Amino acid sequence: MSDLHVLFDPLLQDLSDRSRDEVLAAFSAVQYAAHPVAEVQLAGLRDVTLRRHVQKMLKLIGRTLVHVDGTHWTAGYADDVAATLTTQGWQPLSVIDRAVLVLVLIHSVAIPRSEGILTGDSWKSARPTTVDELRTTRISGEERRLALQRLRAAGLIQLSGDHSGGPSYIPGPQLQRLTPAARRRLQDQLILAAAPASPIAEAIRARAGTPSITDDSTTEEGVA
């Protein structure tokens, strides 16, 4: 944090020593904690004025506060910064890691949500993805095992609490760092991939102004 003090000092110079410490503690917590931080634990998150200072600090490094479940906070990339990084081709995960992550999200989140089993805007899921559901012809067992290890280490997936049927996986805490807009885009894409003919998928396409499956098939038949 010492190197960052020079960057943050102009934002914090008018605060009392106590308020400054509370803001720095809240900043460190949301930026570096593995899980979202309970608002009640830190004055820098409870107090609206102090929380604004935390948000300003995060903005200077391309980050933003993300509210989780109404009572917790974490930090993630701001939407404009994420868009710029994506445009520049920045991608920290390998192709295999991304494929395994998508499989976990489809089975644990997208399919249950398309079936109405999982509701709300959250990555929490009581429907873990089994190893059998992760088996594909394009990813070997060893590649899958190593990808699961890397994704767990990165906090993108985690083991479910029930090991009775062998290891199974649910989304990890790092996905809570997505902003509402980023979370909605990813969830929409997962549902379109997992259940393209579901009513929820139709609603997503209608909201985006894209043709429905019926419209696509009608058009293709007309052309043919």
Side-chain angles (χ1 to χ4, degrees), residues 12 15 26 32 45 65 119 124 157 204 207 209:
L12 305 175
L15 295 177
Y32 301 115
L45 297 176
L65 274 174
T119 59
K124 291 183 178 179
I157 63 172
I204 292 170
R207 187 172 67 240

Side-chain angles (χ1 to χ4, degrees), residues 119-198:
T119 59
D121 185 18
S122 172
W123 291 109
K124 291 183 178 179
S125 175
R127 165 62 170 83
T129 302
T130 66
V131 173
D132 284 342
E133 290 171 325
L134 294 174
R135 289 194 172 97
T136 72
T137 57
R138 297 188 178 184
I139 302 176
S140 69
E142 179 65 9
E143 288 175 326
R144 182 177 62 249
R145 184 183 67 80
L146 293 174
L148 289 169
Q149 287 181 353
R150 290 189 293 266
L151 292 170
R152 285 183 61 195
L156 291 169
I157 63 172
Q158 58 189 336
L159 283 168
S160 70
D162 182 8
H163 304 291
S164 57
S168 56
Y169 302 88
I170 56 176
Q174 287 299 309
L175 289 169
Q176 303 283 4
R177 293 186 181 275
L178 292 172
T179 64
R183 187 164 60 244
R184 187 166 52 250
R185 286 193 301 271
L186 178 54
Q187 289 173 343
D188 286 354
Q189 291 301 312
L190 290 170
I191 290 174
L192 291 173
S198 67

Side-chain angles (χ1 to χ4, degrees), residues 12-192:
L12 305 175
Q13 60 185 357
D14 293 332
L15 295 177
S16 66
D17 289 344
R18 179 175 179 178
S19 293
R20 180 188 178 96
D21 289 344
E22 288 170 343
V23 168
L24 288 172
F27 171 88
S28 296
V30 297
Q31 180 69 352
Y32 301 115
H35 295 266
V37 182
E39 180 179 293
V40 70
Q41 293 179 344
L42 293 168
L45 297 176
R46 291 195 309 272
D47 184 276
V48 175
T49 300
L50 296 181
R51 194 164 65 233
R52 288 198 193 100
H53 281 81
V54 177
Q55 176 73 302
K56 290 176 181 178
M57 291 171 65
L58 289 167
K59 185 176 181 180
L60 288 177
I61 58 172
R63 310 281 281 177
T64 187
L65 274 174
V66 178
H67 209 182
V68 181
D69 296 336
T71 59
H72 291 69
W73 294 90
T74 187
Y77 281 109
D79 290 323
D80 58 337
V81 173
T84 299
L85 292 173
T86 300
T87 300
Q88 294 175 349
W90 181 75
Q91 175 51 258
L93 297 179
S94 69
V95 172
I96 291 177
D97 288 2
R98 295 201 302 272
V100 173
L101 175 59
V102 167
L103 286 172
V104 172
L105 296 181
I106 284 177
H107 287 285
S108 290
V109 178
I111 292 177
R113 180 165 281 126
S114 69
E115 295 173 344
I117 298 173
L118 182 65
T119 59
D121 185 18
S122 172
W123 291 109
K124 291 183 178 179
S125 175
R127 165 62 170 83
T129 302
T130 66
V131 173
D132 284 342
E133 290 171 325
L134 294 174
R135 289 194 172 97
T136 72
T137 57
R138 297 188 178 184
I139 302 176
S140 69
E142 179 65 9
E143 288 175 326
R144 182 177 62 249
R145 184 183 67 80
L146 293 174
L148 289 169
Q149 287 181 353
R150 290 189 293 266
L151 292 170
R152 285 183 61 195
L156 291 169
I157 63 172
Q158 58 189 336
L159 283 168
S160 70
D162 182 8
H163 304 291
S164 57
S168 56
Y169 302 88
I170 56 176
Q174 287 299 309
L175 289 169
Q176 303 283 4
R177 293 186 181 275
L178 292 172
T179 64
R183 187 164 60 244
R184 187 166 52 250
R185 286 193 301 271
L186 178 54
Q187 289 173 343
D188 286 354
Q189 291 301 312
L190 290 170
I191 290 174
L192 291 173

